[in-house]
Amino acid sequence: MEAGADNKSFNAPAEYDKDLVGEMDERERNVYDHGVNKFNRLGWKRLTVVLIVEAIALGSLSIPSSFATLGMVAGVICCIGLGLIAIYTSHVIGQVKLAYPQVQHYPDAGRLMMGRFGYELINVMLILELLFLTGSHCLTGTIAFQNITESGVCSVVFAVVSAIILALLAFPPSFAEMAVLGYIDFASIIIAIGITIIGTGVSAGSSPAGLSGVEWSAWPKPGTTFTDAFIALSNIIFAYSFALCQFSFMDEMHTPKDYIKSIWTLGITEIFIYTITGALIYAFVGQDVESPALLSAGNTLSRVAFGVALPVIFISGSINTVVLGRLVHGRVFKNSTIRFINTKMGWITWLSLIIFATILAFIIAEVIPFFSDLLSICSSLFISGFTFYFPAMMWFMLIRKGSWTDPKNLFLAFVNGCVFIIGLVILVAGTYASVDDINNNYKEGTVRGVFTCAAPE
């Protein structure tokens, strides 16, 4: 079937069974109208803020250690190159949303491409990815509280506290409501990164040898294995993971075509922040830079930086839970006003779902208690698809007009073919590297056991 064909040919899901509206009484219609208005208040500026909240969080904290493994040259090239690819694939996703307005979440796009199988496959992938993301924030919250308090309190206690905070912040179901917290979130990560850069820079400059004494290299560090290199690359890929939630966010926009302003603003902002953060902290700390990077600021400044970063750790983590909740809740109550979460039953089902999802994320954080590998797993298994090979497939199957061999399509066909191959390489090689590194860590005993009180690595 030629791309760009009639939407009906793809058996796309309906937004809502409009026939039911005529059967509603006045009270139910008020609930319905209020629900529609509640989830249709997102402009491009708020979309940018929500994307920033979802994207510029844990990713930025893993970049400096990636630079230490890959070297300054490869680190900069990967940050800029992968960032530009992420902007392009987000543009493709936006085009699909405009062409098929009934696509409310990423799985709906899977249905357009591969029928029921595609819908269910991407549903499972998206749910698992969002759970892993929330779990990674729960783990980071645990690390933050341990460093801030410097107490002997069991790490599992801090993990429980982190999970409770993540659940509480995920209770508001609307992204427009979450966007209000986004300003605090963005300020939080920028200040935390700034403290880390300034602290490590002052520390390096005040040493006897000065900045010239810092051991950093333009090239990969000696002895770097394939696993080490791909874990580092996967951590950079993780930092550009905003595409997976884009359909969900755009579904709340009152003017969806304005998405282009948002993805370019976010993309350029991310490339700048990640490249500067990775390059400067690596240049100031050298090969010993830690992940998350805030650990490299020294004892006192590290505690301050983690304190400042608490909002971004929990706000960004909670928005992933909201996306998950909206995905599942909207599917279960697809043809009911309960889906609008403005009735008693709507709120009961919503809060129960958020609490259950957070408990699962907490378990993931305890089972995989190491930061870089948890991010790498997310990148390899899920982001490889959401940011790379799925958007490439969308171009070929949904928005391309005419044959891909037409002269007007050859360049984009080549670009999307390359993006598709990159995604598959990340999926296969990244998964192998992640599993290998996790296995090595457990063999060497460098990580704490599951649900134990030792400090996480």
Side-chain angles (χ1 to χ4, degrees):
M1 183 178 295
E2 183 175 307
D6 194 309
N7 300 4
K8 295 180 181 178
S9 303
F10 293 96
N11 191 30
E15 289 184 52
Y16 194 83
D17 188 349
K18 300 300 190 298
D19 292 337
L20 291 178
V21 178
E23 302 173 5
M24 295 177 181
D25 58 30
E26 184 176 353
R27 185 191 66 80
E28 290 174 325
R29 287 191 184 186
N30 288 336
V31 171
Y32 173 81
D33 292 337
H34 179 268
V36 170
N37 292 331
K38 178 179 182 178
F39 295 114
N40 193 29
R41 296 181 288 132
L42 206 62
W44 78 267
K45 293 179 182 177
R46 278 193 171 186
L47 173 63
T48 304
V49 172
V50 174
L51 285 170
I52 285 175
V53 170
E54 193 268 333
I56 305 179
L58 300 187
S60 58
L61 305 183
S62 66
I63 300 293
S65 65
S66 295
F67 272 62
T69 300
L70 300 173
M72 189 70 76
V73 173
V76 170
I77 291 174
C78 288
C79 269
I80 296 175
L82 290 170
L84 292 175
I85 293 174
I87 292 174
Y88 171 71
T89 54
S90 287
H91 179 61
V92 171
I93 288 172
Q95 288 180 305
V96 172
K97 176 62 179 174
L98 295 183
Y100 304 91
Q102 70 272 27
V103 174
Q104 296 176 309
H105 300 286
Y106 218 121
D108 294 334
R111 188 199 300 267
L112 297 182
M113 294 186 290
M114 298 174 283
R116 181 64 182 269
F117 170 77
Y119 178 77
E120 298 298 348
L121 172 65
I122 296 182
N123 233 324
V124 172
M125 289 179 63
L126 184 55
I127 289 172
L128 289 174
E129 165 67 354
L130 292 168
L131 285 174
F132 270 76
L133 284 174
T134 304
S136 64
H137 283 266
C138 185
L139 174 60
T140 310
T142 305
I143 297 173
F145 283 134
Q146 286 184 308
N147 279 272
I148 292 170
T149 62
E150 291 189 337
S151 67
V153 175
C154 177
S155 59
V156 177
V157 174
F158 286 129
V160 171
V161 172
S162 298
I164 291 173
I165 296 173
L166 285 167
L168 291 174
L169 289 174
F171 285 166
S174 169
F175 297 125
E177 295 166 350
M178 295 295 294
V180 176
L181 297 174
Y183 299 101
I184 301 173
D185 183 284
F186 184 61
S188 168
I189 192 61
I190 293 301
I191 295 173
I193 290 173
I195 290 173
T196 305
I197 291 176
I198 293 172
T200 53
V202 170
S203 177
S206 61
S207 65
L211 292 175
S212 60
V214 179
E215 295 184 8
W216 65 270
S217 172
W219 313 112
K221 65 181 180 182
T224 299
T225 64
F226 173 83
T227 294
D228 294 335
F230 229 94
I231 292 291
L233 181 62
S234 297
N235 278 208
I236 296 177
I237 292 168
F238 177 89
Y240 292 108
S241 61
F242 55 89
L244 78 161
C245 296
Q246 188 175 329
F247 282 120
S248 304
F249 296 156
M250 286 184 66
D251 197 53
E252 271 198 35
M253 292 186 74
H254 53 67
T255 312
K257 66 181 180 180
D258 285 345
Y259 81 93
I260 295 177
K261 301 175 186 177
S262 295
I263 63 170
W264 274 102
T265 302
L266 170 66
I268 297 302
T269 301
E270 278 196 307
I271 291 173
F272 177 79
I273 291 176
Y274 294 158
T275 306
I276 294 299
T277 300
L280 288 182
I281 294 180
Y282 176 45
F284 292 154
V285 179
Q287 297 290 350
D288 295 328
V289 64
E290 298 186 65
S291 182
L294 303 186
L295 292 170
S296 299
N299 183 51
T300 302
L301 277 182
S302 176
R303 295 169 67 189
V304 173
F306 268 119
V308 172
L310 286 178
V312 73
I313 292 171
F314 294 115
I315 294 173
S316 292
S318 64
I319 203 168
N320 294 300
T321 316
V322 174
V323 175
L324 170 60
R326 289 281 300 278
L327 177 68
V328 176
H329 197 269
R331 178 175 181 176
V332 173
F333 301 105
K334 179 181 177 182
N335 291 323
S336 168
T337 53
I338 291 176
R339 67 177 290 218
F340 292 122
I341 317 170
N342 55 359
T343 62
K344 181 179 179 180
M345 184 54 66
W347 276 106
I348 290 174
T349 53
W350 172 258
L351 297 180
S352 300
L353 177 59
I354 292 300
I355 292 171
F356 179 68
T358 306
I359 291 173
L360 291 180
F362 161 78
I363 294 172
I364 290 173
E366 288 299 305
V367 172
I368 312 177
F370 23 95
F371 187 72
S372 292
D373 285 336
L374 186 51
L375 303 193
S376 180
I377 290 173
C378 292
S379 299
S380 305
L381 291 179
F382 309 119
I383 296 172
S384 60
F386 294 125
T387 302
F388 296 94
Y389 59 80
F390 283 144
M393 291 172 61
M394 290 177 199
W395 183 86
F396 279 104
M397 302 177 69
L398 302 180
I399 61 176
R400 170 181 53 83
K401 290 181 171 58
S403 171
W404 69 269
T405 58
D406 289 349
K408 65 177 182 179
N409 289 329
L410 280 177
F411 175 71
L412 285 180
F414 173 76
V415 170
N416 284 281
C418 290
V419 172
F420 181 79
I421 292 172
I422 290 172
L424 292 185
V425 169
I426 294 169
L427 172 64
V428 177
T431 301
Y432 166 79
S434 300
V435 172
D436 185 52
D437 200 50
I438 290 172
N439 186 48
N440 291 338
N441 282 331
Y442 271 118
K443 283 183 178 179
E444 296 169 5
T446 57
V447 295
R448 65 184 175 97
V450 179
F451 295 106
T452 62
C453 293
E457 295 294 331

